[in-house]
Amino acid sequence: MALVWVLVAVLPALASADTGGGFPGLSIAEVPDWLRTIPRWAFVLAFVLLPALGFPITLFYLTVSAVFPKPMLALAVALACMTANMALSYVSARLLSRPIDRLLHRRGYPLPQLTAGAEWRAIVLLRASPLPWLMQSWLLTLGGARFLPYMLVGAPVQALVGAGLVLVGESLFQGNALWLLVGVTAILLGQAALGGLRRRLRGGSSAY
């Protein structure tokens, strides 16, 4: 029943916002109040489940502060949900890896398999890339990434970007220019650090 509520109520509203059309029947100024009416358990459930189905995780980063107004709490919830979603995506892809691998082989498109030395490089490169979140998770899992490196290396990389977006959302919903400055600075610094790391890693060998 909870999943039905999330899919019927939360997904259509957030999806319409992603296309720039606003939330159905609401003005832009009313969006924060509407988000605050969502039960916290439902928002958390949606955050954990929907990105594993292809829904943009960025929207959850930007809106979590409306449901959890305290900045540190919003950050903690966002990073916990992101981590849980990573694990869920890994398990889902692993369960479907054999039939997908057989299908790709029949069509002549086998996925490269990660070697132990290239594993962490591929995780960083994909998690720091602009590819959709779900695609990153599936490419890593189908490529043979082990669960612990997938989580221990991938989560901190994504946290650099996610934390900045949470703080930007905080500034939008709370009207606090300081959080906007902090959030944008965190995003810029994180992107610069990840960009430098990507350039260095591309100088080495990688399966991707």
Side-chain angles (χ1 to χ4, degrees):
M1 188 67 185
L3 179 57
V4 172
W5 189 96
V6 171
L7 294 176
V8 172
V10 179
L11 179 56
L14 292 177
S16 64
D18 188 42
T19 60
F23 289 68
L26 298 177
S27 67
I28 295 300
E30 294 172 320
V31 170
D33 290 333
W34 180 85
L35 286 169
R36 293 184 185 106
T37 67
I38 298 175
R40 290 185 171 186
W41 63 266
F43 184 88
V44 168
L45 184 63
F47 200 152
V48 171
L49 294 179
L50 296 185
L53 301 176
F55 193 77
I57 196 170
T58 300
L59 286 179
F60 288 102
Y61 288 140
L62 290 173
T63 56
V64 66
S65 294
V67 184
F68 298 90
K70 295 182 179 180
M72 293 301 104
L73 179 58
L75 281 170
V77 169
L79 297 182
C81 290
M82 177 269 292
T83 303
N85 181 266
M86 283 182 62
L88 177 62
S89 298
Y90 184 94
V91 172
S92 301
R94 182 64 74 188
L95 290 174
L96 295 173
S97 60
R98 287 187 178 180
I100 291 175
D101 189 56
R102 286 196 295 267
L103 176 63
L104 291 174
H105 269 85
R106 283 200 299 268
R107 295 182 176 274
Y109 300 108
L111 282 174
Q113 293 298 297
L114 296 170
T115 63
E119 185 177 38
W120 72 273
R121 289 190 180 93
I123 294 171
V124 172
L125 286 171
L126 279 173
R127 284 304 182 200
S129 76
L131 290 174
W133 171 255
L134 184 61
M135 185 181 294
Q136 296 174 17
S137 300
W138 277 68
L139 283 174
L140 288 170
T141 306
L142 296 176
R146 293 167 298 168
F147 183 73
L148 281 181
Y150 167 91
M151 296 296 296
L152 296 178
V153 177
V157 174
Q158 180 60 203
L160 285 175
V161 177
L165 290 171
V166 171
L167 294 178
V168 169
E170 176 76 23
S171 72
L172 296 176
F173 290 117
Q174 308 301 329
N176 190 325
L178 176 60
W179 286 121
L180 177 61
L181 179 61
V182 172
V184 171
T185 301
I187 292 172
L188 292 176
L189 290 176
Q191 289 296 332
L194 292 176
L197 185 57
R198 282 198 304 268
R199 288 190 293 272
R200 291 190 62 183
L201 292 178
R202 282 170 181 162
S205 59
S206 175
Y208 288 91

